[in-house]
């Protein structure tokens, strides 16, 4: 399947959107895992072992779910695209 060439302006827009989406995902990850794993009042300047383990697990789960959702949305999008193509082919045959 050939990949269509994007003009530089569209390519720049796609790149900016991807950076924005990744930044948003990172900010949400940091916020959610910080809220879950680190108490509001800091007792020590360094992370404790429990906090570190919690953060590792939280980040791993967050990224795993993010990847799964991305794959599911991609599959759904491809399915809709295929359905539209089939509908267009049926309309041209009529």
């Amino acid at each position: 399947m050939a990949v269509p060439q994007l003009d530089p302006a569209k390519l720049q827009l796609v790149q900016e959107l991807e950076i924005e989406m990744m930044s948003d995902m990172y900010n949400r990850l940091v916020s959610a895992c910080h809220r879950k794993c680190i108490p509001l009042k800091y007792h020590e300047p360094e992370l404790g072992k429990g906090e570190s383990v919690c953060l590792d697990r939280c980040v791993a789960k967050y990224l795993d779910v993010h990847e799964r959702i991305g794959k599911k949305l991609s599959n759904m999008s491809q399915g809709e695209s295929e359905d539209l193509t089939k509908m267009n082919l049926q309309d041209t045959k009529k």
Side-chain angles (χ1 to χ4, degrees), residues 11-23:
L11 184 60
Q12 178 71 25
L13 179 62
V14 168
Q15 290 171 341
E16 288 173 3
L17 286 172
E18 187 165 348
I19 289 171
E20 185 178 327
M21 289 180 355
M22 291 302 292
S23 295

Side-chain angles (χ1 to χ4, degrees), residues 4-5 9 28 36 44 48 58-59 80:
Q5 294 296 321
R28 288 173 185 259
K36 179 179 178 173
E44 300 173 12
C58 182
V59 168
E80 288 175 4

Side-chain angles (χ1 to χ4, degrees), residues 5 9 12 14 17-18 27 38 41-42 45-46 50 53 57 66 69 72 77 82 85 89:
Q5 294 296 321
Q12 178 71 25
V14 168
L17 286 172
E18 187 165 348
N27 289 331
I38 300 175
K41 293 199 174 210
Y42 300 151
E46 301 293 325
V53 170
R57 289 180 179 164
H66 187 266
I69 290 171
K72 183 71 172 176
S77 176
E82 290 171 2
T85 303
L89 287 174

